[in-house]
Amino acid sequence: KTMTENKQEKPKNAFHPSSWPYLDEKQYKDVCRQAHIQCNNELHDEKKVKDFLSGTTAISVGFHAGRMTVSNVGDSRAVLGYRVGGVGLEGTPAEEEKKEISSEGDSELVDATGVKYEPGSIIAIPLSDDQTPYRRDERKRLEKAGARIRTIDQLEGRKPIDENVDDFNLGVDIDEEGDMPRVYCQDHDYPGTAFSRSLGDSIAEDIGVNGEPEILTKRVTKGDEILVIASDGVFEFLTNQRMIDICAACDDPLHACTKLLEASYEQWLNYELRTDDITCIVLFLQSGKADDVAEVSRIM
């Protein structure tokens, strides 16, 4: 046989994604959870990995059966840029399109103050909730596991100890002081993590900093235009909406990544003499599926 004939001939039982069965939402979430737990366990079991005061946060987005599934461990973040009305990246909608947008009911979307979003505007929707001691539910879980929650100033005696740390709306508010609550052992001044979940840290895990992911699923629809997945350093001084606005003004995902990192780097130098890790992935999405206003409202 010629080389061309050999290339065209497919072996029996060829390994091809088109033949794979789709998982339902619950099955896919279960797989994601098991993957994180197994990864965490293998990091502990692998002798070459030094998991004492080590570890990493992790965020991922899987696309499967028309859905996006976000798995989060720690304080990295996924943010969706959602076009109200699903107009598309072309720009301002024509009058006929505006009528269609209005009929779809996206005008029902409102912000935190109850004001309706303008049809055609692009809004930032967090697809993950930072797991940090700022969250009341995470603080309670950590303290139940034996952790102390302190800022550095509290730990070093410069500020009085206050067990009732104010909830902080991460993604909307910017922590300009930079002295966030951290997780410590009862009798030691470590590990001092600013996040409440991670993979591969045996010491922190003993006081509740575990690898259990929080998972969110959303159907991909035409209003979903931009997806940003980034480490905590990127949004330390940038709000979710600011990140989406930067991306929306760019020509392509690479351009958006570059602009995001430049903006983050500039803000770090405005507040600090250093920078944290600033790593990001940007996707521009396209879908013909109709928007589900109820689902968008739920995840907002």
Side-chain angles (χ1 to χ4, degrees):
K1 293 183 179 180
T2 66
M3 186 177 295
T4 302
E5 289 174 328
N6 283 328
K7 284 183 177 180
Q8 292 176 344
E9 186 177 290
K10 292 184 178 180
K12 293 182 180 179
N13 301 320
F15 181 79
H16 195 276
S18 62
S19 64
W20 298 351
Y22 283 128
L23 303 179
D24 63 30
E25 181 177 334
K26 182 182 183 304
Q27 289 172 326
Y28 196 81
K29 284 184 174 181
D30 287 344
V31 168
C32 291
R33 179 184 178 279
Q34 291 169 20
H36 284 76
I37 299 302
Q38 183 176 335
C39 176
N40 190 46
N41 290 337
E42 290 186 5
L43 286 170
H44 294 324
D45 294 340
E46 175 55 58
K47 294 181 179 179
K48 293 182 180 179
V49 175
K50 298 179 180 180
D51 66 342
F52 182 87
L53 299 179
S54 183
T56 181
T57 63
I59 190 157
S60 61
V61 181
F63 292 88
H64 182 80
R67 304 181 298 266
M68 65 173 84
T69 299
V70 182
S71 303
N72 181 44
V73 173
D75 60 353
S76 292
R77 190 181 300 172
V79 181
L80 177 68
Y82 177 81
R83 181 80 65 174
V84 178
V87 179
L89 288 166
E90 298 82 39
T92 305
E95 291 303 318
E96 294 78 7
E97 291 173 315
K98 288 181 180 178
K99 293 178 182 177
E100 181 181 350
I101 292 167
S102 179
S103 67
E104 289 177 352
D106 259 354
S107 58
E108 297 174 7
L109 287 177
V110 297
D111 64 17
T113 63
V115 177
K116 293 181 179 180
Y117 287 109
E118 182 72 21
S121 61
I122 188 163
I123 60 177
I125 300 177
L127 298 180
S128 61
D129 193 359
D130 295 4
Q131 296 155 354
T132 77
Y134 275 125
R135 279 176 48 179
R136 191 181 305 274
D137 60 335
E138 287 292 273
R139 290 200 304 274
K140 289 182 178 179
R141 184 182 62 79
L142 291 167
E143 289 169 348
K144 187 176 181 180
R148 284 188 303 159
I149 308 300
R150 300 284 189 272
T151 66
I152 291 178
D153 280 350
Q154 289 173 344
L155 192 72
E156 297 180 350
R158 289 192 292 269
K159 285 187 177 180
I161 294 173
D162 182 3
E163 301 290 349
N164 299 314
V165 181
D166 292 334
D167 283 332
F168 204 75
N169 192 357
L170 294 168
V172 177
D173 302 324
I174 298 297
D175 182 8
E176 296 183 356
E177 292 186 8
D179 191 19
M180 68 283 291
R182 296 175 178 272
V183 185
Y184 296 95
C185 296
Q186 286 292 340
D187 302 320
H188 302 282
D189 294 343
Y190 59 72
T193 63
F195 44 82
S196 55
R197 304 192 194 193
S198 68
L199 300 174
D201 190 334
S202 60
I203 296 298
E205 190 164 355
D206 288 341
I207 52 174
V209 184
N210 59 40
E212 181 78 28
E214 290 182 322
I215 302 175
L216 178 145
T217 294
K218 181 193 179 300
R219 287 191 314 113
V220 181
T221 64
K222 64 180 181 179
D224 304 334
E225 289 194 6
I226 298 169
L227 178 63
V228 178
I229 311 165
S231 63
D232 64 311
V234 173
F235 48 77
E236 184 80 17
F237 302 111
L238 296 177
T239 64
N240 290 342
Q241 189 61 54
R242 175 61 177 147
M243 288 198 297
I244 293 301
D245 290 342
I246 291 171
C247 293
C250 295
D251 300 325
D252 55 62
L254 179 58
H255 184 203
C257 282
T258 302
K259 288 297 182 181
L260 269 183
L261 298 185
E262 288 176 350
S264 175
Y265 186 80
E266 180 181 355
Q267 287 302 306
W268 267 100
L269 295 186
N270 283 339
Y271 289 97
E272 304 270 357
L273 297 176
R274 65 179 186 92
T275 63
D276 199 356
D277 53 289
I278 46 176
T279 305
C280 68
I281 300 171
V282 175
L283 284 75
F284 284 1
L285 307 175
Q286 288 185 327
S287 173
K289 299 290 184 180
D291 292 325
D292 184 340
V293 180
E295 182 181 36
V296 174
S297 298
R298 174 181 61 82
I299 65 175
M300 290 177 67

